[in-house]
Amino acid sequence: MLMIRKTAVAAGAAAALLMGAGVAHAEGGFDTRIGGWLTGKESRKWDDKNRDANATTVKFGGCSVDGASRFISATIQLKRVRAALPDPVEGRHDNRCNTSNFGRQGDAEYYFNLSKINGTDTGLRLSVDPVNVRY
């Protein structure tokens, strides 16, 4: 009877480990904030190894604009780093203090830049806290 119980406990532990192995976890991400950005400003860069099927997302919370009566949107562009060549835009999104989903990206280094605030590219400063980037 004792041997059957030990076998059952071992089998249960093995099953729990196998079930946990199938759980998907995001490859990476970071949390930051934006303080008084003008258009053209870039985020820090990150390296997506494409080891999972997760989308690249940029989530804004607590958005405000200096020089305007209210925040409407921030146009951000996901860019892929290329040595000695211009960095191509992999996606563009009008973020309205929500989540910008750029889909699954390939194995490369990325960043986002701010191209417009409230539909214009001059004269306004954007602040966002927090900013959550996942890839």
Side-chain angles (χ1 to χ4, degrees):
M1 184 72 166
L2 185 56
M3 185 61 144
I4 293 172
R5 181 178 296 165
K6 286 182 180 178
T7 303
V9 169
L17 284 173
L18 287 174
M19 289 186 335
V23 176
H25 295 284
E27 179 179 312
F30 59 93
D31 300 325
T32 188
R33 66 181 198 83
I34 290 173
W37 278 20
L38 292 167
T39 56
K41 180 77 172 164
E42 300 174 353
S43 72
R44 66 169 252 202
K45 292 176 173 66
W46 65 87
D47 193 19
D48 187 343
K49 296 292 188 189
N50 195 24
R51 292 183 180 143
D52 57 27
N54 294 327
T56 296
T57 60
V58 179
K59 181 179 179 182
F60 284 1
C63 304
S64 64
V65 175
D66 296 336
S69 59
R70 66 185 181 100
F71 172 81
I72 299 168
S73 68
T75 304
I76 58 174
Q77 301 178 120
L78 180 68
K79 291 191 168 186
R80 180 172 40 92
V81 176
R82 289 194 308 184
L85 293 169
D87 296 340
V89 175
E90 299 296 326
R92 183 177 287 112
H93 190 264
D94 289 330
N95 190 304
R96 291 176 170 75
C97 214
N98 56 12
T99 300
S100 296
N101 186 329
F102 295 101
R104 183 179 181 180
Q105 299 297 314
D107 182 2
E109 188 174 20
Y110 296 91
Y111 63 96
F112 69 88
N113 80 324
L114 179 62
S115 64
K116 291 185 181 181
I117 303 168
N118 289 354
T120 185
D121 61 1
T122 58
L124 301 176
R125 291 182 175 270
L126 175 69
S127 295
V128 182
D129 190 7
V131 177
N132 312 112
V133 177
R134 302 292 177 261
Y135 52 92

